[in-house]
Amino acid sequence: MAVVAALVIVTGAPLLLGLVHSTTDDHDAMHDAADSLVDTQQLSIAATARAAAARTFLRTGDAALLADRDAAAGQLDAVLSRLTARGRELGELDAIRGLGLRAGHAIDVALAAGDKVATWEREVAPAQLALRDAIEARVRGERAYFEQVRADEQAASRRVRELAVALVAIALLGLALAASILVRTGRMLFVRQRAEQEHALRQLLDQIPVGLVVAHNDGAPAYANAQARALLEGEGVSLDALFAGARERMFELGTDNVYPPARLPLRRALAGEHLESNDVELRRRDGETIPLHMRGAPVCDRDGKQLCAVTAFQDVRELLKMGGRDALTGLVNRAAIDQRFTRERLLAERGGRPVAVAVLDLDRFKAVNDRHGHATGDLVLREAARTVGACMRRTDIVARWGGEEFVIVMPDTDARGAGRAMEKALDAVRALGVAAPGGAPLRVTFSAGVVESRAGESLELAVSRADQLLYQAKATGRDRVLAERTRSDTGKLARASSAHARA
């Protein structure tokens, strides 16, 4: 019997290890499915934001909303591109892309029509409805796929357990010593595999940029991932305290009414509902109010028996900002600063206040890339962006314009005050301790041009004028800031550049 047991172990162990590797592949598939589900949900948010911005523009005439619409349209295209890159259900994605183009064209037609409201109802509403239905169908498909991947992963885990138990059972028929060894080996494999699965799953869920909370069928808290704890201010507290605190700080959107507990997505999911909600806002202890996009669903086994319920939620503001950041430096990107500059310029014109625009370019940056590699170049860009941003006020807007060029918009600041601010930033950049791969220190400087925006001037035109001063700074030796002379320099305009005072 010992020989039989040993033979079974020798032949069965590789199969067991193969199943363990299979569960790892299932984890990867579930991660990909979760990403696809989140991206598909973001399609609905972007499509709704695009139509809402255009519809609000019809009522208010605020041109800034057109930029919001364009930003939402860009986010819609970006999400579609990510989904297409995964290569699943390309026919559905092509259909959604076509419906999105049709809805966008209908919005353009409505904005240009004489009778905008009637044209909206006739052209845009049906196109937007068709797009929403297509996206919702896609969400249902992605959810079903995610649940199937989860079920496959659970089945793989069961197969591993069944095989381990079988090996142990057969080993027990052999000699006492052989049986003891096999039992210990089987238990060690089982415990380690289980622990690795749980650890990997928790790591996966903590990386998802969506808050996830899970409750047992009796309503008792079961799990909250890292994003949920961050949003709900629950780091370091028990699950019971986390859930109780969250319920107390959930309000109906735009009101002081506590959100009815019976309507909360998790409570309704425990009752077997699949639902989505956009009418909840979270009020944090510091007074910040966060609008939430929430989904709730029951989790069932293959036989349809409910095991628990899950709620996923996201900060709506973060969803809207995702398309406005530069991936390398973390600064706002070119599209985002253009939109924000337009708003600041309009506010400044109404209040008779100045807005300064600065353009800076890192000196001899190409030589850094050529001599030390792009990794060092990226490090210089990140450190320079961090340093310049730290020298600016909270109200200033620092953006990566492209390559090694940055643009800074400074509200309530004239060209002279902005020039002094940029001189201070230049001193800080000169003091950077960036080292080349060999350890030798790199000297980092920049050249900059500073102008004061003019009435009705676009950011492109202001940047173009600042670029001319930047080129002069480069031509006269680099490592300097040139600011235009304005009326404030001659005393004709009573503006205090101390509005941009810095310590």
Side-chain angles (χ1 to χ4, degrees), residues 316-394:
V316 173
R317 302 168 307 171
E318 292 300 321
L319 293 176
L320 296 175
K321 289 193 304 184
M322 284 176 64
R325 290 283 172 184
D326 173 60
L328 177 63
T329 63
L331 300 176
V332 298
N333 61 23
R334 186 166 181 162
I337 195 175
D338 186 69
Q339 177 183 348
R340 294 174 65 179
F341 168 80
T342 300
R343 292 177 180 172
E344 292 294 344
R345 194 204 71 216
L346 290 173
L347 290 172
E349 290 176 2
R350 291 171 191 163
R353 299 187 301 273
V355 176
V357 176
V359 179
L360 71 86
D361 186 273
L362 297 181
D363 295 326
R364 298 184 173 88
F365 182 73
K366 184 177 183 300
V368 174
N369 277 334
D370 292 344
R371 294 175 186 173
H372 305 294
H374 288 280
T376 302
D378 288 348
L379 175 62
V380 170
L381 280 172
R382 286 193 297 270
E383 288 299 305
R386 179 189 59 79
T387 302
V388 172
C391 293
M392 299 296 113
R393 302 170 302 177
R394 290 175 61 88

Side-chain angles (χ1 to χ4, degrees), residues 45-167:
I45 295 172
T48 302
R50 179 180 67 175
R55 186 65 181 267
T56 307
F57 171 75
L58 292 181
R59 295 196 303 268
T60 65
D62 186 352
L65 292 166
L66 294 178
D68 291 342
R69 181 201 65 173
D70 294 339
Q75 185 181 10
L76 185 64
D77 291 338
V79 175
L80 279 169
S81 297
R82 290 200 299 272
L83 288 168
T84 301
R86 294 193 181 100
R88 290 186 60 253
E89 304 297 341
L90 297 180
E92 286 185 13
L93 291 175
D94 288 339
I96 291 173
R97 183 175 284 105
L99 290 171
L101 292 173
R102 175 187 166 194
H105 175 70
I107 290 172
D108 292 337
V109 170
L111 295 181
D115 188 352
K116 293 180 171 57
V117 175
T119 305
W120 183 278
E121 297 299 328
R122 185 178 65 254
E123 299 288 341
V124 178
Q128 193 68 19
L129 180 61
L131 177 58
R132 186 196 68 187
D133 290 344
I135 292 175
E136 288 180 352
R138 176 72 184 205
V139 169
R140 290 193 296 271
E142 291 293 350
R143 185 182 296 113
Y145 177 68
F146 178 79
E147 292 173 354
Q148 181 59 50
V149 171
R150 184 196 298 273
D152 291 343
E153 190 273 339
Q154 292 173 341
S157 297
R158 284 196 297 271
R159 288 195 296 272
V160 170
R161 292 195 298 270
E162 291 167 359
L163 181 57
V165 171
L167 288 174

